[in-house]
Amino acid sequence: MDIAADPSHPRYASLLRRHLIETAAAEGLLAGSAMIAHGRGEAYDYLLGESTSASAARATAEAWSRLRAAAHPVISVNGNTVALAGRDLLHVAAALGCPIEVNIFYRTEARMAALIGRLEAWKEEDGLDVDVLGARDDGRILGLEGPRSRCDARGIAAADVVFVPLEDGDRCEALVAMGKQVLVVDLNPLSRTARTATVTMVDDVGRVALAMRNLAASEGSRGPSDTWNNDAVLQEALDEIVAHLTSKFRNV
Ligand code: ATP
């Protein structure tokens, strides 16, 4: 963390994110594979120039509009999302008046309790009125077997719009098959999750959460687009990667 403490370091933001992941791992919030998943995200973020592109900003505004227009929105978070974006997402949930549900791939009671406890502590400190769900697993995601199919009947199961940053491809497909709108954040525009979701924000989850918190604070939102084309957004992300790499290469 010594290098990250120096804001002039070119990788300052990236190192800060690593520090958040390291701290969360030490607190028992993350599964063993969490750092691998984060590393894959970092690699794509590097290719994207580690900043929010115009198409990603548009996707975040679209996701916010859909959450605002939803009858039963829910924000579903895993360990990495809590570590990198949990506090801002609590503020987004408070602005929407919707629950936030901890839903993890490798479910253990200890990790669930640690993640729920972390969100409850931030909620208390910031004086927010948000239902933190996940302790109950009385709902089912149809088409999946075992622990991955479990969710809260009052949260994901009842939702028409699910904002689930860092979702796994299988679950994203299953939620879409249940007729839900699925809004995801994934730095990899080629992942199954990115290609299956209703709206994909190809951006870092921390940057998206902060941007959405700012959208919530600024009030006003246009309605959801009738002509949203998620494939076009993914193509733009790929084009942005090529443009960024080309400009880097020219500067060498
Ligand atoms: P899929 O099942 O959708 O094909 P995958 O198996 O390739 O996904 P996982 O290993 O489940 O992916 O999860 C890692 C995913 O999360 C990667 O696509 C990675 O780009 C993305 N990711 C990791 N960290 C971040 C982050 N901070 N912000 C946004 N996306 C991230």
Side-chain angles (χ1 to χ4, degrees), residues 17 21 33-34 36-42 44-45 80 84 105 166-170 172 185-195 201-206:
R17 283 193 288 275
I21 291 285
S33 58
I36 299 171
H38 184 72
R40 191 179 311 187
E42 271 194 351
Y44 278 97
D45 205 20
N80 286 30
L84 297 170
F105 197 92
L166 312 188
E167 182 53 302
D168 137 81
D170 266 12
C172 185
V185 180
D186 195 331
L187 280 159
N188 176 4
L190 299 171
S191 76
R192 263 184 319 145
T193 302
R195 288 182 287 123
M201 292 151 266
V202 183
D203 200 355
D204 169 67
V205 70

